[in-house]
Each structure stands twice: as C-alpha cells, then as structure tokens.
Amino acid sequence: MRDDGVRSGYLPGSDLDSQALASVRSDENVIEGHVLPVFGHGSEQAAFVQQMVLPIIEETTPAFDDLWAEDRSIYHILMDSAGIEDARSRLAHHLISLEAVLDSGYSGVPPLELVNAKECIKTFSSIISRRSEKLAGCSALKHLLRMAQDPDSEGVVSEGFVEEFKHIFRGINARSGIYDSSEPPAFIGLSGVRSAGLRSAALDRTARRVESYVSRYPHGLDHNITRIRNANRNRILKRLGASETDWSSWKWQMRNVMLDAESLGALVELTDEEVEAIELATRHHIPFAVTPYYASLMDESPGLGRDAGVRSQVIPPLDYVHRMIAVRQKGGKSLDFMLERDTSPVKLITRRYPMIAVLKLTNFCSQICVYCQRNWEIMNPLGREVKSRSDAILQAVNWLRERPGIREVLVSGGDPLTLGEDVLCPILDELSGIDHIERIRIGTRTPVCLPQRLTQELAERLGNYNVPGRRELCVMTHFQYPYEITPESMDAIQKLRRAGISVYNQQVYTIYNSRRFESVALRRLLRLIGVDPYYMFNMKSKEETNQYRVPIARILQERKEEARLVPGTVRTDEPVYNIPKIGKNYLRAAQDHRLIMIRPNGRRVYEFDPWEKNMSPVPSFVRSDVGILDYLRKLAEIGEDVRDYATIWYYF
C-alpha cells in the first residue's frame, strides 16, 4: 500500500489469491500496462471537484491531451489498436479487468466510489458496443480512436464530447471527485446519544444548506411581491379602463386576452427581442395569448430576473418561432411529437394506457404555453370551435361508454375550464353516467393564469360529481414556478379543496425552473396551498423547444440530491419521459432506460423501454438528449455557479 495518502486499486493477477500487493510505478500507477484506479483523499478530491466543469463559460477547441491524461491506459489501448474492432475487443477486456479489481475486495476503493466506478464501466461498455452504435446511428469509439491516433483530428468533436469522456474515465478509475473525503462521517463509528448528536448536527447543516438555496426564489405569497403585484394590477386596470369588479370576472379576463406585442407591451415593458419574437409569431399564426392577470405576474421592467420563468412561459424565443415557421412550411407533422394521430381511435380521444383515455374538448386555452405538447393543434387562440365539435364529442363519449376497461377519463384540450358551465357540465354529466368511469380528471392551467375562473359556483358544481366509494372528480394543474403562486391562485385552489376536489400538479422541467432546489421551493409552496405534486415531466424532445430542454441527468440529479432531502409528503411527484405513441417512461427506474452513446456534439443518446416491458414485445425508443455542457453554459449565463452541479455527469 502506498504511504502518500492515496490508495490504489489492483488488477487481478496470479498473486491475487495470496493477497500480495503488486509492484506499482508511482508516477503512472501502472501494472502490466494498465492504469489503476486511484482514489484521493481530502484536498486532492476537492481539486477534482474544481475540475469537473472545465471550462464552462468560454467555448474552446477540445484539448485531447486533457482527456488522455484522465486514463493513459485507454489511450495506449486505442493507440495500439489496428482498427475499431480491435479497439473494441481490447477495451472490453480492459473494462472486465478493471471491474474484477473492484469486485476483488482488494482495490481499496471506498464503497460509494466503487459503486460509481462500476456504473461508469457499465456505461462505457454500453457506449462502445456494436448494438449501441447500430441503435444510435453513430460511433463514439470511432471518434475516440481517431482522436488517439490522429492528433490533427481536433475539431471533429465538441468540447461537450470530450467532457463526457473525461468524467467517464475519472469515474472508471474511481476518481470522480463526488466525495470530499474518503472517510465515513464520524457518527458512523459511534453509538447512542453521542452518535445521534453528531448525526443531528450534520442534518442541521444540510437543512440550512437547503434553506439557503430555497430562499433565493421569490414567490407570490411574499408580502413584498404581493405589493408589487397589486401595483401591477392597478396599472393594468387603469390602462384598460376597467374596475376591480372587471378584474375579478373570468369572462372579462378572457375578453381582454392580449394577442400581440402591442397589447402586451402596453402593460409591461418588453425587450426588443421579445417584441420581434411575438410579432413574427403572430404574423405566421403561431399561437400567442396572455391574460391580464398573468401579465400582472410579470415585473413592469424586464431584466430583474424574478419573472424570467413567467415571461418564458408565454413569450416565445426567436429560435422557437423560426423553427416553428420552418416546420409548418414542411407540413407540420413533426410537431406531433407524441404521435397522437396514431393513438386516436376516434376523433377527440387519445389512448395510450389500458384504463385511462384523454378526451379533448377544445383547442382553446386562456393563454398559450410556448412549449405546449399540442402546439401543432392550437391554431387560433380565440378558437370557438366547441359547437362545431358537439357531434364529435358525443361520438367520443359513446366510444368511452362502450369500453368498460377504461376507468378514468382526462378531460383536456386546450383547457376545458375555458368553457362555460352550460357547455362543460352536460359533458361531465354524460361521463359521470358511465358506470365503469371511476374518476374524471380535469386538466387545466386556470388556477395559474386565470384563477378568477374558479368561482364558488363552479367549485360546488364540480364537487357534486364526487360520490365517495363510487366516483371521484379531481383537477390536474400546471404550476411551474414559485413566482406563479399568488393569493388569488391559493384562493382558487382552496375553493376546490373545500368542495372535496383533490388538486394535483404536473410540472414541466425546463431551463427556467431547473436551478438548484428551485423545484423544492415550488413543491413546498404547492403543498401549503393545497396542491399535491404529481408528475415532473422531462421536456419532450421536440427540436423547436430545444432552448427549454434540460438534460435527463439533471432531472435525476434533482431527484436524488434535492427532492430526496425534503419530507415524503412533499416529494410526491414522479419524474417521467414521454415516449411517442407509447407513453410515460419512469426515469427513476434505472432498468427502464440506459445511456447508449455520446454524439460528437456532446449530446447523450438514450434507449427508453416502453411501459409494456415484460408484458409485451413493444420496441424500445432511442432519442438524443441535450448536451450537459451546453446546459451548464446556459446556467452560467443566468448567473449560476456551475460547480453546484458538478455531479451531474454521473447520472446516467
């Protein structure tokens, strides 16, 4: 064993059974031509943490020497290989040998670092396999081989590609830098009150750390924010020549929805780019709509940062508008990411699961979310097509009536609560009259952008559909940010709760709400106003909304390092990825998705298994993610310290 504070791992050899230590060249840590896993203590580990996101702010040409310095053994294997198949075989043997060292019990690698090393070995093995290359349509191994043998090939791959493999190589060699110490916490070796005291002190430090992050995110229940919102409301009312009574009327809000840059710009200051994007969108009939109430959630002047999420929810980025125009010019079919055209047995019905179906009553929303799943359907924000759809609605209800296997119906759209009770309630009457329907869900964002819609009368009428032991009606809503939670939205939720209606939240995880502990702040407030977190959706892999997307690794990191720190009553949402035509893939189930490739541009490629796995031979789905380094650079642009996200590379 070395005596310089660094423990070395050992490859299997003839002397392993006798537990003899191999002779180690201390300069390279090499045995029989292989670089050994090395685990550093204290300051050395901290140094690795500082290196984990090199360099983030400025884009540079990838430095291959930095990559090969992480694993000289892999470099030599690639250098000595006669071709890609020879390299594949040699690397496979090398990885088997490394894993044997880890499993031998003599590596000296601490348990959790060992677990991570094995995960990295498994991931690298998957990436270099022929099957993965066939599924992904590209070969990372081909690029690694070229990078090793041809120093002039720099520029062929991105810095994101190099960073991915630098971290994989560190992980393989048990040098991830995740832990700042190789020693377990002191309380582990103690017992009784002394152990409990140390453990409690450590938990106090963790709780204070959580609060230090959560406190960064302003919310609409804060006294200072409500004061600002009241001033915003008064300014908007004055501009529109309206009264407090008008403001409280959901129909007035609907009549005064802002449909262009001029009307919104009269109420809040817009940047030049926001004006350009909205004008271009409206010129090309890309839906845009904002209620006066939701406009009051925006700060009067841009640039403060507090309302960035609120603005991003409804004001389309220029890149999105250009992509939407291009896709529509090609026919627009690719916008239907979930392939609803292939999961709609009859008009207005979508079915992807055995016991639940979606009934789409309307294509109209009180306001338009930029990244809406059905942006390919919502053509006119002032749509009034319900009457013309009445026959189709009746046929859809009859279709549901004839299928006793369907136990739940999600009434969606569009937003069904933009309909009046005279239209909505007769449809709910029909659904509640179907014996096998046990639950009616109403999907609506009105608690967030039009809380005036949730009147006492509506809440009571909806509550009447609840029959304990027989039928439940519940509401599925869509809060995204703590800044969206207001006294008005809380009052709307409480009306529903007092009427016996459960309310659940489906958050879409985007660049605008993915900062450290931001979703924790949202979950805590949601529970306090009466909303249960239900799903956390990874952004659908639609190219036109790339600017909003977050790597899958980040959603997994959030779940493990942030959500896990709050009580179970708060972290009730499930992170999921939606597979086109199939449905939800539960991301926490590691056996149901796997990283199979790193593209030259640094984007990971995942293979997702269908929910029917182990029940039906439905094929898997392969899709590229957004690049981790690209994501970290975006975070840096909005002022985040990317070192806070250092472990993201080790979520596969």
Side-chain angles (χ1 to χ4, degrees):
M1 178 71 70
R2 291 168 55 181
D3 59 3
D4 59 358
V6 179
R7 284 188 278 183
S8 302
Y10 303 92
L11 287 174
S14 58
D15 58 345
L16 190 61
D17 291 340
S18 64
Q19 302 184 22
L21 300 181
S23 171
V24 179
R25 281 173 48 198
S26 60
D27 57 335
E28 289 187 88
N29 249 13
V30 175
I31 295 179
E32 299 178 358
H34 295 276
V35 176
L36 301 178
V38 177
F39 183 85
H41 290 279
S43 60
E44 185 177 356
Q45 286 292 74
F48 277 117
V49 172
Q50 296 297 319
Q51 299 169 15
M52 293 192 72
V53 284
L54 295 176
I56 296 301
I57 304 301
E58 298 182 2
E59 295 190 30
T60 61
T61 301
F64 294 166
D65 288 345
D66 290 345
L67 172 63
W68 304 130
E70 299 296 344
D71 197 314
R72 300 298 295 174
S73 178
I74 288 179
Y75 171 71
H76 287 303
I77 288 172
L78 293 171
M79 279 289 292
D80 296 341
S81 295
I84 189 168
E85 294 306 325
D86 186 33
R88 197 188 321 274
S89 177
R90 288 172 178 242
L91 285 173
H93 174 75
H94 173 65
L95 295 174
I96 290 171
S97 298
L98 285 179
E99 190 158 24
V101 169
L102 297 172
D103 290 337
S104 71
Y106 301 112
S107 69
V109 176
L112 293 182
E113 189 71 45
L114 185 148
V115 169
N116 186 67
K118 287 170 68 71
E119 281 297 311
C120 290
I121 290 171
K122 176 183 174 182
T123 298
F124 190 42
S125 297
S126 174
I127 289 171
I128 65 174
S129 73
R130 292 191 194 93
R131 178 180 182 273
S132 292
E133 291 177 351
K134 183 177 179 181
L135 287 172
C138 66
S139 171
L141 179 56
K142 179 185 73 173
H143 290 289
L144 290 170
L145 186 63
R146 181 185 301 170
M147 290 159 61
Q149 297 186 351
D150 179 11
D152 295 329
S153 65
E154 291 191 10
V156 175
V157 298
S158 71
E159 190 179 357
F161 179 92
V162 173
E163 284 295 317
E164 283 281 11
F165 283 102
K166 283 168 70 173
H167 288 87
I168 288 174
F169 292 169
R170 288 173 187 164
I172 284 172
N173 290 283
R175 292 188 285 105
S176 70
I178 292 174
Y179 306 100
D180 58 8
S181 172
S182 63
E183 301 300 326
F187 74 86
I188 293 294
L190 302 173
S191 61
V193 173
R194 190 178 179 195
S195 174
L198 287 174
R199 176 63 161 163
S200 184
L203 295 174
D204 284 339
R205 290 191 294 273
T206 299
R208 287 194 296 270
R209 175 173 170 268
V210 173
E211 291 304 317
S212 71
Y213 282 99
V214 169
S215 63
R216 298 177 183 180
Y217 305 113
H219 59 81
L221 299 181
D222 178 84
H223 174 72
N224 291 326
I225 302 301
T226 57
R227 180 174 48 81
I228 293 171
R229 270 32 184 310
N230 289 338
N232 289 347
R233 182 189 66 226
N234 293 335
R235 186 186 69 254
I236 292 171
L237 285 174
K238 183 177 181 180
R239 172 70 66 171
L240 297 179
S243 66
E244 291 280 356
T245 301
D246 292 327
W247 187 265
S248 300
S249 166
W250 71 276
K251 292 182 179 179
W252 178 88
Q253 293 276 341
M254 295 279 283
R255 287 195 302 269
N256 288 275
V257 165
M258 284 150 284
L259 303 174
D260 53 41
E262 183 180 1
S263 58
L264 181 59
L267 305 183
V268 297
E269 183 181 341
L270 300 174
T271 66
D272 291 342
E273 184 171 324
E274 287 173 335
V275 171
E276 182 182 356
I278 297 170
E279 288 180 345
L280 188 61
T282 53
R283 194 180 313 139
H284 288 270
H285 307 290
I286 296 171
F288 172 80
V290 183
T291 62
Y293 168 80
Y294 201 73
S296 76
L297 305 191
M298 300 179 188
D299 295 332
E300 184 177 5
S301 300
L304 297 178
R306 294 177 309 204
D307 66 341
V310 170
R311 287 178 179 248
S312 73
Q313 195 70 15
V314 291
I315 300 176
L318 266 175
D319 177 70
Y320 167 85
V321 177
H322 287 303
R323 287 175 182 265
M324 284 288 289
I325 293 170
V327 170
R328 283 188 170 183
Q329 288 173 346
K330 295 177 182 178
K333 280 192 174 182
S334 63
L335 294 173
D336 181 13
F337 175 78
M338 287 304 294
L339 297 179
E340 293 196 18
R341 61 183 179 271
D342 296 335
T343 54
S344 298
V346 295
K347 192 174 181 180
L348 308 185
I349 292 287
T350 297
R351 188 183 188 187
R352 289 187 284 265
Y353 309 102
M355 297 186 185
I356 184 169
V358 179
L359 172 59
K360 296 181 285 187
L361 291 188
T362 176
N363 284 343
F364 177 54
C365 287
S366 57
Q367 73 174 41
I368 310 300
C369 297
V370 173
Y371 52 77
C372 177
Q373 172 179 314
R374 297 194 177 105
N375 58 3
W376 56 281
E377 276 193 320
I378 300 175
M379 302 299 293
N380 180 3
L382 283 181
R384 292 289 187 269
E385 76 300 331
V386 174
K387 289 184 179 178
S388 65
R389 293 159 68 105
S390 58
D391 289 343
I393 291 173
L394 180 60
Q395 292 173 6
V397 171
N398 287 335
W399 185 89
L400 293 167
R401 185 176 284 111
E402 294 167 359
R403 279 152 183 83
I406 295 177
R407 297 289 179 172
E408 294 194 23
V409 176
L410 170 58
V411 180
S412 182
D415 192 325
L417 291 193
T418 59
L419 306 175
E421 285 93 324
D422 59 328
V423 175
L424 176 63
C425 290
I427 299 170
L428 297 179
D429 290 341
E430 290 290 331
L431 293 174
S432 64
I434 300 175
D435 289 341
H436 55 268
I437 300 297
E438 299 174 345
R439 185 168 295 101
I440 301 170
R441 307 185 195 178
I442 295 181
T444 178
R445 194 164 143 81
T446 55
V448 188
C449 60
L450 188 64
Q452 295 86 350
R453 179 64 185 100
L454 279 305
T455 62
Q456 189 64 40
E457 178 188 1
L458 176 62
E460 290 175 0
R461 291 190 70 171
L462 295 179
N464 288 336
Y465 292 103
N466 276 332
V467 180
R470 167 69 185 85
R471 186 193 319 107
E472 178 190 15
L473 184 143
C474 59
V475 166
M476 320 298 294
T477 192
H478 176 35
F479 285 92
Q480 281 284 92
Y481 320 99
Y483 214 49
E484 290 180 325
I485 296 176
T486 67
E488 293 89 343
S489 63
M490 179 171 64
D491 182 59
I493 296 299
Q494 286 300 306
K495 288 175 184 173
L496 294 172
R497 292 297 297 267
R498 285 192 293 268
I501 299 170
S502 297
V503 185
Y504 301 93
N505 193 66
Q506 300 185 146
Q507 180 191 15
V508 178
Y509 206 50
T510 76
I511 183 69
Y512 296 99
N513 61 10
S514 66
R515 293 172 293 180
R516 276 292 197 181
F517 292 94
E518 191 165 6
S519 289
V520 166
L522 175 66
R523 291 184 188 101
R524 282 170 45 171
L525 282 170
L526 287 174
R527 289 292 288 128
L528 290 174
I529 69 170
V531 179
D532 293 319
Y534 181 57
Y535 275 133
M536 175 186 274
F537 286 103
N538 180 263
M539 274 287 300
K540 295 189 173 59
S541 303
K542 301 169 70 167
E543 292 303 314
E544 70 270 17
T545 55
N546 265 351
Q547 186 165 330
Y548 288 77
R549 292 173 61 191
V550 172
I552 286 172
R554 175 62 187 125
I555 203 170
L556 296 175
Q557 182 188 45
E558 194 281 336
R559 196 71 205 177
K560 182 69 180 75
E561 299 180 19
E562 296 156 52
R564 186 60 183 86
L565 300 184
V566 300
T569 52
V570 175
R571 52 180 164 85
T572 53
D573 49 336
E574 184 71 36
V576 294
Y577 176 90
N578 262 313
I579 300 175
K581 202 173 184 175
I582 303 301
K584 298 176 185 67
N585 174 286
Y586 283 60
L587 290 173
R588 284 196 296 171
Q591 71 271 22
D592 286 344
H593 78 273
R594 61 208 61 86
L595 172 58
I596 62 171
M597 190 57 61
I598 307 294
R599 293 195 181 280
N601 60 8
R603 294 173 67 165
R604 293 180 174 187
V605 181
Y606 286 92
E607 180 184 14
F608 299 94
D609 296 331
W611 62 261
E612 293 102 322
K613 180 181 179 180
N614 298 337
M615 293 178 280
S616 177
V618 175
S620 60
F621 175 73
V622 175
R623 193 75 172 185
S624 292
D625 200 7
V626 289
I628 290 178
L629 189 59
D630 294 336
Y631 168 71
L632 292 176
R633 283 184 170 134
K634 287 182 180 179
L635 289 179
E637 288 173 3
I638 61 175
E640 286 294 286
D641 184 345
V642 293
R643 290 173 298 182
D644 285 348
Y645 304 82
T647 60
I648 189 173
W649 303 94
Y650 295 106
Y651 288 91
F652 305 120

